[in-house]
Amino acid sequence: MNVMRHLRVPNNSVQDVIVLLKDNALHSETMRIFPDSDGKHRLIPLSEQAPDTLPALLDGYQLVIVDGVPYGDDSGDWWEHLRELVGEESITLHGESWPSNHEFIGDMMIVRIEEDVSQYRNEIAYSKMTAHPRVRILMEDRGVQGEFRIRDLVPIALREDDELIIGDISEDKIDTRVMVRESGKMILCDPTKAYFSTKLQAERIETLSMARRLRELLGRPIRVCDPFCGVGPALANIITEESLVSDVMAADLNPDAISMLLDNLRRWDGRKYPETPSAIQRIFPDRIVGVADATELSSIAEMSNSWDMLVVNLPHKTIDLLPGLIHLLDNESPSLIRGRVIIAESDIEETINKIVEITSPLHPHPPSVSLKVKRDYSSTLRLCSFEAWLGTAESDE
Ligand SMILES: C[S@@+](CC[C@H](N)C(=O)[O-])C[C@H]1O[C@@H](n2cnc3c(N)ncnc32)[C@H](O)[C@@H]1O
C-alpha cells in the first residue's frame, strides 16, 4: 500500500477538480479516484510532485492522507472510471441510457450520448478516453444528416501527447482524417466530411463473395458500378483482387468523398489518380470516377447498358432510385444488384415484390432476389440488405 495525499471532493465537483489538477500537473496518473465512505465525496489522488501548498482555487477541499489505489497494468474498464466519477447510484439510475457501445474509426472513437445522461458528457468522455489510451479523439454522434449522409460529429475529448482535453475543443486543433485498416486494406476517411461506417465491414465481405460468384457465372472479370461510393470502401477488396474486376465506375455527389476516394484508389489501384475531385470522367480506359448525381448517370451514353454489378447504398432512397439505375446494367448478360434498403417490418414482402418487378427478368438460378434484415433502424423500421440476380438462362455466357 502507498499512503498518499488525496483531495476529498463532493461527487458533483469531481470533473471540475480533475481539470484543475490536470492543468496544474497535480493529478496522479497512476492511482485511481475512489469513493469516500460517506458516498457523497470522492478521493482524488495527488501526484507525488504536487507542492505542499496547493493553488488557492483548491482551498475549499479537504486534504486527506490515505492508502492510494493503483490502476494496475491495464487502463481499466470505462465503467470503473465512470463509477468513480458519478457514483454507483447514478449508474443504476440511468441504466441503459449510458453509452455502453462505441465505434472506433482508426484512432477516433464515436459515441452516442442519450439526452438522459447528457449532463455527464464530460465524465463519459473522461472515462472512455482513460479506458482507451490509444484513442486520439472522441466524437459525440448526433445523427446522420443531409443528402451526403454525414454524421453530425462534435469533438468532446482530445489527447495531445499525454494531455487530455475534455469539453471545449477548438476546431483548428482537430485533424479528423483517419486511416482505417479493413481486411488488410488502408481506407482514408473523414467521418465529419463524408459517410463512412466500420459496421459495414461484414457487408463488404459478403459483397466481395457475390462479386466472385458473378465473375464465375460470367467466366470473365466483371465491370463494377458504385454510384453512391462515398470514400469507396465497397471497392477496396473487389478492386485489389486479381482478375476479379475489369472496369470500375465510382461516383458520389459529395466532392469531399471523391477527394478521399481518389487518395484510396491511388493506393489500392497503384495508379496516378488526380489530386483533386472533378465531375465524373474517364480517368483511365477502364476507370470512370468523379462527382455525379446518380439519377443522371443513365442518360450518359457510355454509362448505360455497360455494367455487370451495381452497388446501391443509399438505403432510405434505394427503391425510388432503382428504376432509374437499372439501365446501367448490361442487359445482354447476367448481372447483379447489391443493395441496402430501410423499410418498415410490415413492408418486407411488398418490397421484395417491388424489387422483383423492377429487376425482372431475373436469373433462374436461386437466389434471384433475396433480402435479409440486418438490424433495427428504429422501433418500426428495419435496415435490410438484398441481392438481385438479373438475366435469363440464355444470357449466361
Ligand atoms: C450511405 S452513404 C454510402 C457510402 C459508401 N457506399 C459506403 O458504403 O461507405 C450514401 C452516399 O451516397 C451519396 N449520395 C447521396 N445522394 C446521391 C446522389 N443523388 N447521387 C450520388 N451520390 C449520392 C452520399 O454523398 C453518400 O456518400
Side-chain angles (χ1 to χ4, degrees):
M1 284 293 183
N2 183 8
V3 177
M4 59 190 294
R5 289 176 298 162
H6 293 72
L7 269 194
R8 185 168 176 271
V9 177
N11 288 343
N12 59 6
S13 307
V14 171
Q15 186 57 38
D16 295 343
V17 174
I18 290 177
V19 171
L20 262 177
L21 290 173
K22 281 186 173 281
D23 280 349
N24 292 282
L26 301 171
H27 179 233
S28 165
E29 300 290 346
T30 52
M31 296 297 198
R32 282 182 190 282
I33 304 167
F34 59 95
D36 192 10
S37 52
D38 70 355
K40 293 181 182 147
H41 293 78
R42 322 226 126 224
L43 300 180
I44 307 179
L46 296 184
S47 140
E48 293 195 353
Q49 283 75 44
D52 289 344
T53 311
L54 297 176
L57 279 168
L58 298 168
D59 273 350
Y61 303 110
Q62 188 189 353
L63 200 59
V64 294
I65 299 179
V66 291
D67 282 331
V69 181
Y71 271 121
D73 288 335
D74 68 10
S75 314
D77 177 351
W78 89 277
W79 286 107
E80 289 173 33
H81 299 289
L82 187 68
R83 195 169 284 113
E84 283 173 3
L85 292 177
V86 306
E88 188 64 50
E89 228 175 84
S90 303
I91 300 268
T92 314
L93 179 68
H94 298 288
E96 302 269 295
S97 300
W98 294 108
S100 49
N101 294 325
H102 45 244
E103 180 181 356
F104 292 107
I105 301 191
D107 62 0
M108 179 186 288
M109 182 195 261
I110 297 179
V111 284
R112 274 177 181 270
I113 300 181
E114 306 254 333
E115 186 61 40
D116 189 24
V117 291
S118 59
Q119 79 263 33
Y120 296 113
R121 182 172 284 106
N122 286 353
E123 285 79 359
I124 291 169
Y126 176 84
S127 305
K128 294 267 184 192
M129 292 297 276
T130 309
H132 298 279
R134 288 202 193 95
V135 171
R136 179 177 56 86
I137 184 159
L138 176 63
M139 309 291 269
E140 179 183 347
D141 184 351
R142 300 194 177 162
V144 171
Q145 56 184 10
E147 232 174 353
F148 296 165
R149 313 308 297 148
I150 304 174
R151 289 189 258 192
D152 180 10
L153 296 174
V154 179
I156 56 171
L158 175 69
R159 197 184 314 273
E160 278 192 323
D161 303 319
D162 284 340
E163 195 195 350
L164 200 54
I165 305 166
I166 309 277
D168 281 343
I169 296 160
S170 69
E171 296 284 326
D172 58 344
K173 280 204 160 207
I174 319 166
D175 183 1
T176 45
R177 282 161 66 99
V178 282
M179 276 286 184
V180 180
R181 179 183 284 277
E182 190 178 287
S183 305
K185 304 287 163 328
M186 298 307 288
I187 304 173
L188 172 71
C189 64
D190 180 343
T192 67
K193 295 217 165 67
Y195 177 94
F196 181 80
S197 173
T198 53
K199 292 184 187 147
L200 295 183
Q201 181 170 9
E203 190 85 8
R204 295 193 261 270
I205 292 170
E206 281 178 20
T207 306
L208 172 65
S209 81
M210 285 173 205
R212 287 177 182 150
R213 264 163 51 208
L214 182 62
R215 194 224 177 278
E216 218 169 282
L217 186 65
L218 293 174
R220 59 165 169 78
I222 60 174
R223 298 162 294 172
V224 177
C225 172
D226 187 355
F228 309 94
C229 67
V231 303
L235 298 170
N237 286 315
I238 294 182
I239 216 170
T240 46
E241 181 157 311
E242 197 161 340
S243 13
L244 178 58
V245 159
S246 54
D247 298 47
V248 172
M249 194 286 278
D252 199 286
L253 205 51
N254 177 358
D256 285 327
I258 295 299
S259 169
M260 287 179 266
L261 169 79
L262 291 169
D263 193 293
N264 286 325
L265 286 174
R266 233 171 279 139
R267 228 166 312 107
W268 304 333
D269 223 5
R271 308 189 201 182
K272 287 191 174 164
Y273 281 85
E275 296 288 331
T276 47
S278 59
I280 193 153
Q281 58 176 297
R282 195 175 281 281
I283 292 182
F284 300 110
D286 54 356
R287 298 288 183 263
I288 301 176
V289 179
V291 179
D293 183 338
T295 60
E296 292 167 11
L297 288 174
S298 293
S299 57
I300 305 174
E302 57 179 347
M303 229 50 106
S304 63
N305 226 7
S306 305
W307 307 96
D308 305 308
M309 179 170 173
L310 173 65
V311 183
V312 186
N313 186 4
L314 190 60
H316 60 296
K317 285 197 182 163
T318 298
I319 299 300
D320 292 342
L321 295 181
L322 211 47
L325 295 168
I326 195 99
H327 309 291
L328 294 167
L329 290 171
D330 186 344
N331 60 14
E332 287 181 7
S333 51
S335 57
L336 166 69
I337 301 176
R338 167 65 162 159
R340 280 157 59 77
V341 59
I342 294 168
I343 41 171
E345 170 96 51
S346 52
D347 289 346
I348 290 181
E349 273 315 304
E350 192 192 324
T351 305
I352 295 176
N353 291 339
K354 266 191 200 157
I355 297 173
V356 169
E357 199 180 303
I358 299 167
T359 55
S360 288
L362 286 163
H363 202 264
H365 304 303
S368 294
V369 171
S370 98
L371 181 142
K372 284 188 212 147
V373 176
K374 290 296 171 109
R375 66 174 172 85
D376 290 352
Y377 188 75
S378 70
S379 57
T380 52
L381 297 176
R382 306 287 169 261
L383 183 58
C384 308
S385 292
F386 70 89
E387 52 188 294
W389 294 78
L390 287 67
T392 55
E394 298 79 63
S395 62
D396 283 9
E397 290 183 352

